[in-house]
Amino acid sequence: MATQQYRQFLSENRVVSPSADRDAEMVRRVGQRLANAVTRYYKQQGLTEMLNGYKWEFNLVNDKQANAWAMPGGKVVVYTGLLPITQNEAALANVLGHEISHAIFQHGNERMSQGLAQQLGGTALSVALANRPAQTQNLFMQAYGIGSQVGVLLPFSRKQELESDRYGMRWSAMAGYNPREAINLWKRMAAQENSGRPPEFLSTHPAEDRRIQQLEQYLPEALKYYKPSGR
């Protein structure tokens, strides 16, 4: 289902070509560095099989929303509206690391299962697709934070968010990007929220003082993996 929905999304939205646009090239390049870091880490831990089936893709979509999301199997999308907030490669790396963590820890899958239970009475996915395809597709889009008005019915849990924050900082550090930028990024997110124009990203990724404090607690751990590469 993820493959089908991902291809449909790309066909219906304006994907920016990395061969013709520096921002799109940056998204793909930074994303691939992170994916390589994650793959190395899992290999070192003897857990390579946990990434079986992942074929990482990183695309930039021309959309004014400040949003990013990841689907099962490593399909990650960043919206152009997020780049004025990330402002630099290291902050973008922390966003991508966060979304990669959602994918490899299967947080969206958990939300999808919860949604099937809450909204469709625990119906099996195959039955839901056959009998209520439109509702099931909408549920899927909500579960993975795709499009606008996301996270209203199925917000990521606090546990899922903090887990993705923690490991997102780690993946960024392992890829050579400064994990401190995660803190700076969320301070900018909080400023956007306080301005009365919160990014769509915040509907599933709430920016708040407690979260920034938690990121500061994760920082020493992430810095153990950080080897600057000029970024």
Side-chain angles (χ1 to χ4, degrees), residues 106-211:
Q106 302 185 1
H107 293 160
N109 302 37
E110 294 174 15
R111 297 170 77 207
M112 186 69 182
S113 296
Q114 292 167 3
L116 286 170
Q118 294 171 5
Q119 298 184 34
L120 299 178
T123 304
L125 179 59
S126 58
V127 176
L129 280 170
N131 297 334
R132 302 164 88 172
Q135 188 173 354
T136 305
Q137 179 178 358
N138 184 54
L139 180 63
F140 179 91
M141 301 297 269
Q142 292 175 353
Y144 294 95
I146 302 167
S148 60
Q149 305 301 319
V150 297
V152 177
L153 300 178
L154 294 169
F156 283 112
S157 73
R158 182 79 182 172
K159 179 181 177 182
Q160 290 173 335
E161 282 298 283
L162 293 179
E163 185 175 38
S164 291
D165 282 346
R166 177 185 177 187
Y167 282 90
M169 292 177 78
R170 178 182 294 188
W171 310 140
S172 298
M174 293 177 64
Y177 297 100
N178 193 337
R180 295 182 182 89
E181 282 300 322
I183 298 170
N184 295 330
L185 168 70
W186 283 103
K187 287 180 178 177
R188 292 194 291 272
M189 285 283 193
Q192 289 280 321
E193 185 176 38
N194 293 335
S195 72
R197 301 188 305 275
E200 292 293 341
F201 197 65
L202 296 182
S203 59
T204 53
H205 305 73
E208 53 191 37
D209 291 342
R210 284 181 57 199
R211 182 175 201 149

Side-chain angles (χ1 to χ4, degrees), residues 15-53:
V15 180
V16 185
S17 171
S19 62
D21 184 271
R22 292 179 62 183
D23 287 339
E25 188 277 331
M26 174 181 66
V27 167
R28 184 160 296 184
R29 170 169 41 82
V30 174
Q32 195 56 58
R33 286 179 65 90
L34 286 161
N36 291 342
V38 169
T39 300
R40 286 196 305 270
Y41 177 82
Y42 272 71
K43 184 176 181 179
Q44 291 166 359
Q45 302 300 314
L47 300 172
T48 306
E49 71 281 356
M50 293 186 67
L51 295 180
N52 286 345

Side-chain angles (χ1 to χ4, degrees), residues 17-94:
S17 171
S19 62
D21 184 271
R22 292 179 62 183
D23 287 339
E25 188 277 331
M26 174 181 66
V27 167
R28 184 160 296 184
R29 170 169 41 82
V30 174
Q32 195 56 58
R33 286 179 65 90
L34 286 161
N36 291 342
V38 169
T39 300
R40 286 196 305 270
Y41 177 82
Y42 272 71
K43 184 176 181 179
Q44 291 166 359
Q45 302 300 314
L47 300 172
T48 306
E49 71 281 356
M50 293 186 67
L51 295 180
N52 286 345
Y54 282 78
K55 297 180 180 179
W56 297 100
E57 291 185 26
F58 300 88
N59 278 298
L60 180 66
V61 167
N62 193 342
D63 192 305
K64 64 182 179 180
Q65 295 179 57
N67 198 17
W69 48 259
M71 280 190 187
K75 312 306 184 189
V76 184
V77 167
V78 175
Y79 293 30
T80 53
L82 188 61
L83 298 183
I85 303 175
T86 56
Q87 296 185 4
N88 59 67
E89 287 193 24
L92 174 64
N94 278 278

Side-chain angles (χ1 to χ4, degrees), residues 4-15 61 63 69 71 77 79 141 146-147:
Q4 177 185 347
Q5 293 299 325
Y6 178 67
R7 296 303 173 195
Q8 181 176 333
F9 175 88
L10 294 183
S11 69
E12 294 174 350
N13 289 271
R14 296 172 59 191
V15 180
V61 167
D63 192 305
W69 48 259
M71 280 190 187
V77 167
Y79 293 30
M141 301 297 269
I146 302 167

